[in-house]
Amino acid sequence: MIWFKKRNSKLTSQQLKDIPEGLWIKCDSCGEIIYKKKLDRNLWVCPNCNFHFKVTSNYYLRIVLDEGTFEIFDENIRSTDPMKFKDRKKYSDRIKAYSNKLSITEAVVVGLGKIDNIPVSIGVMDFRFIGGSMGSVVGERVARAIERAIDKCIPLVIISASGGARMQESILSLMQMAKTGALLSKLDDAGLPYISVLTNPTTAGVMASYASLGDIIIAEPKALLGFAGPRVIQQTIGEELPPGFQSSEFFREHGFVDKIVSRAELRRTIAQVLRYLYRPADTIKSKIFDNE
Amino acid sequence: MPPEFTLHFERPIVELQKKIEEMKVIASRDGVNLNSEILSLENRLNKLKVDIYKNLSRWERVQVARHPRRPNTLDFLNRISSNFIEIHGDRNYRDDPAVVTGFASIGKHKVVVVGQQKGHDANENIKRNFGMMHPEGYRKALRAMKLSEKFRLPVVILIDTPGAYPGIGAEERGQAEAIARNIREMSRLKTPIVISIIGEGASGGALGIGVGDVILMFENAWFSVISPEGCAAILFRDKTAAPQSAEALKINAYDLLELGVIDEIIPEPPGGAHSDCIIAAKNLKTAITQKIEELIAIPLDELLRLRIEKYRRMGVFKEV
């Protein structure tokens, strides 16, 4: 019904470009105008150019985990405003505004679940929440996800999407890089697998800590990755950046990403890799989902 | 070294210094005894330095940390250590001159040193890339630290960087990966690590050689998730808001001690480290030596447990 109604309204594609929240969506990469339902059926991947739209943390949990296996943890860990930070707006107000607007309480969701029947400790970041920035809460939730993997002798999977450390928590945000990195050394010592999935965008403090420390690093196609943002680099060197600079493909070529995997193949690829890396019989009996 | 560089709040100090110099010239030229006048002016000078430096704003301290005459890693190494043997290269790509690594003796302790190296003038700074490391610099640092582990030498780290270098080559060679790996490997390096922030401690660029058992920090140094200018541009949307953003970020040694991020403040002479390098170096040496002695007394597995716990505790949140 609505389909026809829209068609009859004779909107030109130029007009459609100005309506991102409608039935039609313009691809950020190739400019193609795509019918929203079609895009949704295609896991929010542009059918024309394979550009992967940003999706929510819940969306990833749904497409990666076995149905009904996700158990959320650490949802009760929330931000305070340790610096009493205020720029153009108070940080505490920002946090409130984002929590009210979104159905999530912070920029990462963590818990336990199964991928093709393999138990995992999982964390998924959400770019909508202050640019997926990492403050004390993101750091603590990720830290507990790592510890849960160690405690239960199961693999760790983190799907990242982040602009970096959260400036409003200043040095404490920087220290979350050290906190998560230090705990990942324990996971590594325990011989447990960690798969890091990089989505658009994963940069700065998150890229320079846990996102880069996976035993296997998978990236979605055409994601913006890297340490410094492209604008900062451009301002520093004073020249144009080459096309494709800091894309997933760029980092695959330079040896920092193992595989570029389309969203539709993500779940299967993680499961396949884990079948090689994770052998529960060799480790202490997996404690997940029993005796609890 | 630049002959003159005066921060705006240092002007009264410089003026008084000039006056004292003039008086000394007059005294020797005319053969008059001005000793008591000179002495009283010198006392006034010391008091003035103390007063001015005591009341500096956070942003003004950032200026002190960036002072072109502020002693850098090699200046300090020359004063606090002997028999320094520099080692070069990451055994992979090239030698990064923005970081200095090597073996040195500090007092009776043989150590491995890793320090970010700035210059005092344009030429030196170009050579040292202003203390901004590339990925091969972080890998060079890690190589030196792995040697320290193998040969059971404590690591002494001096941090002084405006940030890891943001450039095309740095991204091609994995700046993020290099920093991330160092963070993880330093957290489990089987030897004591003493870190001193001697000037600027900018974000991931500092943290990439900044995980250890003890973090010391000079009184006028800064350490932050982002530079005050960067924060001003992004959050305040105003490049001139650096002073406000320095206040909001709380980036000074006193702030970080209160937050439990650093362990101890190393005092600077009145007038800042650049006004008396000898005293600054002496204070640094005393602090580092004391920490090395404390750390080598701790059994290794206990040391490693404490190190991870130290970072595990960091962060402020509530559980609802």
Side-chain angles (χ1 to χ4, degrees):
Chain A
M1 269 310 277
I2 299 163
W3 166 267
F4 290 107
K5 211 171 163 186
K6 260 296 188 241
R7 269 191 145 183
N8 291 341
S9 70
K10 287 181 187 166
L11 283 175
T12 64
S13 62
Q14 187 52 49
Q15 283 169 300
L16 283 169
K17 278 178 198 171
D18 302 323
I19 319 166
E21 289 295 323
L23 284 170
W24 298 84
I25 285 174
K26 182 174 160 247
C27 174
D28 291 345
S29 179
C30 71
E32 177 89 351
I33 309 291
I34 315 154
Y35 186 45
K36 191 174 171 180
K37 276 190 179 162
K38 188 177 173 191
L39 192 58
D40 194 42
R41 274 198 303 274
N42 207 32
L43 304 177
W44 291 83
V45 173
C46 174
N48 184 48
C49 76
N50 200 30
F51 175 75
H52 283 50
F53 284 74
K54 291 187 186 84
V55 292
T56 66
S57 44
N58 280 327
Y59 195 88
Y60 278 115
L61 290 170
R62 211 160 61 229
I63 65 166
V64 165
L65 294 179
D66 298 351
E67 203 182 332
T69 61
F70 182 62
E71 191 184 346
I72 195 167
F73 276 78
D74 308 318
E75 226 269 331
N76 61 326
I77 297 173
R78 304 288 173 84
S79 286
T80 61
D81 181 7
M83 300 290 166
K84 303 272 167 280
F85 196 95
K86 185 173 178 291
D87 43 82
R88 288 164 301 134
K89 211 171 166 185
K90 275 162 82 179
Y91 175 48
S92 51
D93 291 343
R94 260 184 221 271
I95 291 278
K96 257 182 239 149
Y98 278 97
S99 314
N100 290 340
K101 195 173 82 182
L102 307 168
S103 59
I104 47 173
T105 55
E106 254 293 344
V108 73
V109 177
V110 297
L112 293 172
K114 288 186 176 185
I115 301 176
D116 205 9
N117 224 22
I118 303 164
V120 294
S121 173
I122 190 165
V124 185
M125 301 192 74
D126 201 311
F127 194 76
R128 293 174 302 164
F129 202 99
I130 320 188
S133 57
M134 170 164 64
S136 296
V137 174
V138 170
E140 182 65 20
R141 287 186 184 176
V142 168
R144 292 190 188 196
I146 300 167
E147 288 172 331
R148 227 169 352 259
I150 298 170
D151 185 44
K152 298 192 178 298
C153 281
I154 57 172
L156 174 72
V157 175
I158 297 178
I159 300 175
S160 292
S162 173
R166 187 172 295 169
M167 282 175 278
Q168 291 91 340
E169 290 185 35
S170 191
I171 195 73
L172 296 175
S173 299
L174 189 74
M175 289 300 133
Q176 304 310 306
M177 295 168 66
K179 176 156 99 180
T180 53
L183 290 177
L184 284 174
S185 77
K186 287 175 81 174
L187 185 84
D188 191 46
D189 288 342
L192 292 163
Y194 165 32
I195 295 184
S196 171
V197 180
L198 314 176
T199 73
N200 186 36
T202 303
T203 59
V206 167
M207 190 65 180
S209 60
Y210 56 83
S212 282
L213 292 172
D215 294 302
I216 297 299
I217 299 178
I218 292 170
E220 284 193 340
K222 297 181 182 179
L224 172 70
L225 311 175
F227 176 71
R231 209 156 23 120
V232 173
I233 297 173
Q234 203 177 345
Q235 280 165 5
T236 307
I237 63 172
E239 34 183 294
E240 286 297 306
L241 301 173
F245 181 62
Q246 293 185 305
S247 63
S248 307
E249 293 74 13
F250 169 92
F251 281 104
R252 222 252 333 100
E253 188 187 327
H254 287 283
F256 294 97
V257 164
D258 289 291
K259 286 187 90 58
I260 294 176
V261 175
S262 280
R263 201 166 278 160
E265 295 298 317
L266 191 56
R267 169 186 156 82
R268 187 164 34 169
T269 308
I270 295 172
Q272 277 175 343
V273 172
L274 285 181
R275 290 237 146 69
Y276 279 100
L277 304 185
Y278 177 60
R279 284 168 294 178
D282 290 353
T283 56
I284 305 164
K285 187 176 168 290
S286 169
K287 284 184 272 182
I288 188 173
F289 297 142
D290 47 32
N291 310 325
E292 282 196 0
Chain B
M1 192 165 294
E4 290 231 3
F5 183 88
T6 309
L7 297 166
H8 71 93
F9 52 83
E10 289 181 308
R11 271 181 215 137
I13 297 172
V14 172
E15 275 161 28
L16 196 53
Q17 270 168 338
K18 270 192 191 145
K19 216 165 168 184
I20 294 169
E21 288 309 312
E22 279 165 20
M23 223 177 232
K24 282 179 179 169
V25 169
I26 292 166
S28 71
R29 190 190 60 201
D30 302 346
V32 282
N33 187 347
L34 295 171
N35 288 353
S36 67
E37 286 83 352
I38 290 171
L39 190 68
S40 100
L41 280 185
E42 278 174 344
N43 286 338
R44 227 171 87 194
L45 178 66
N46 277 335
K47 196 176 167 301
L48 186 66
K49 280 183 180 175
V50 171
D51 286 347
I52 287 176
Y53 269 74
K54 192 174 64 193
N55 296 314
L56 290 185
S57 71
R58 291 183 171 96
W59 175 241
E60 285 168 332
R61 285 190 202 279
V62 171
Q63 306 309 307
V64 178
R66 290 173 178 168
H67 201 291
R69 293 178 70 94
R70 189 173 177 86
N72 58 36
T73 287
L74 284 174
D75 296 330
F76 278 126
L77 286 180
N78 284 334
R79 289 198 164 87
I80 69 169
S81 72
S82 54
N83 300 322
F84 175 54
I85 301 174
E86 190 172 355
I87 62 171
H88 293 274
D90 68 340
R91 294 294 186 274
N92 186 31
Y93 183 69
R94 67 157 194 157
D95 183 51
D96 187 345
V99 63
V100 168
T101 57
F103 307 107
S105 298
I106 299 179
K108 59 178 187 189
H109 301 286
K110 289 181 179 140
V111 301
V112 163
V113 292
V114 174
Q116 285 154 335
Q117 184 63 36
K118 285 196 197 173
H120 289 299
D121 57 34
N123 279 341
E124 278 179 29
N125 267 322
I126 287 164
K127 180 183 164 196
R128 300 292 183 180
N129 200 29
F130 299 83
M132 293 188 281
M133 289 161 70
H134 278 78
E136 52 272 23
Y138 292 100
R139 293 178 185 127
K140 169 185 176 178
L142 185 59
R143 181 184 150 240
M145 291 188 274
K146 288 284 180 188
L147 286 174
S148 74
E149 184 176 56
K150 182 172 176 183
F151 299 105
R152 294 161 193 274
L153 300 166
V155 186
V156 169
I157 287 171
L158 303 181
I159 289 180
D160 191 10
T161 184
Y165 188 66
I168 292 177
E171 294 292 329
E172 285 173 341
R173 300 193 289 280
Q175 189 73 289
E177 191 273 348
I179 290 171
R181 177 180 299 268
N182 277 19
I183 291 170
R184 186 182 66 192
E185 295 311 314
M186 292 179 84
S187 76
R188 61 178 166 187
L189 196 79
K190 295 187 188 70
T191 190
I193 304 173
V194 177
I195 293 159
S196 305
I197 304 164
I198 60 169
E200 298 192 85
S203 196
L207 194 67
I209 58 164
V211 175
D213 300 298
V214 163
I215 306 175
L216 309 170
M217 186 167 175
F218 263 124
E219 208 176 343
N220 294 311
W222 66 271
F223 184 27
S224 173
V225 69
I226 188 167
S227 71
E229 292 94 331
C231 179
I234 299 169
L235 285 188
F236 292 79
R237 304 248 167 102
D238 173 8
K239 279 182 183 167
T240 64
Q244 294 96 292
S245 87
E247 292 299 314
L249 286 167
K250 302 192 171 72
I251 61 180
N252 291 156
Y254 301 99
D255 301 319
L256 301 185
L257 188 68
E258 204 183 308
L259 288 163
V261 170
I262 64 161
D263 298 283
E264 219 171 279
I265 296 174
I266 308 170
E268 290 184 29
H274 61 280
S275 76
D276 194 334
C277 300
I278 294 166
I279 291 184
K282 191 172 145 268
N283 294 348
L284 179 66
K285 185 176 177 176
T286 307
I288 290 175
T289 312
Q290 192 199 334
K291 291 300 166 194
I292 291 173
E293 274 157 22
E294 284 173 27
L295 294 176
I296 55 178
I298 302 172
L300 192 58
D301 43 354
E302 176 73 355
L303 184 79
L304 294 173
R305 192 182 63 76
L306 290 172
R307 188 186 302 159
I308 288 186
E309 258 179 29
K310 170 192 177 76
Y311 288 97
R312 179 66 189 87
R313 278 195 304 272
M314 288 195 187
V316 175
F317 52 84
K318 61 185 177 194
E319 296 190 53
V320 294

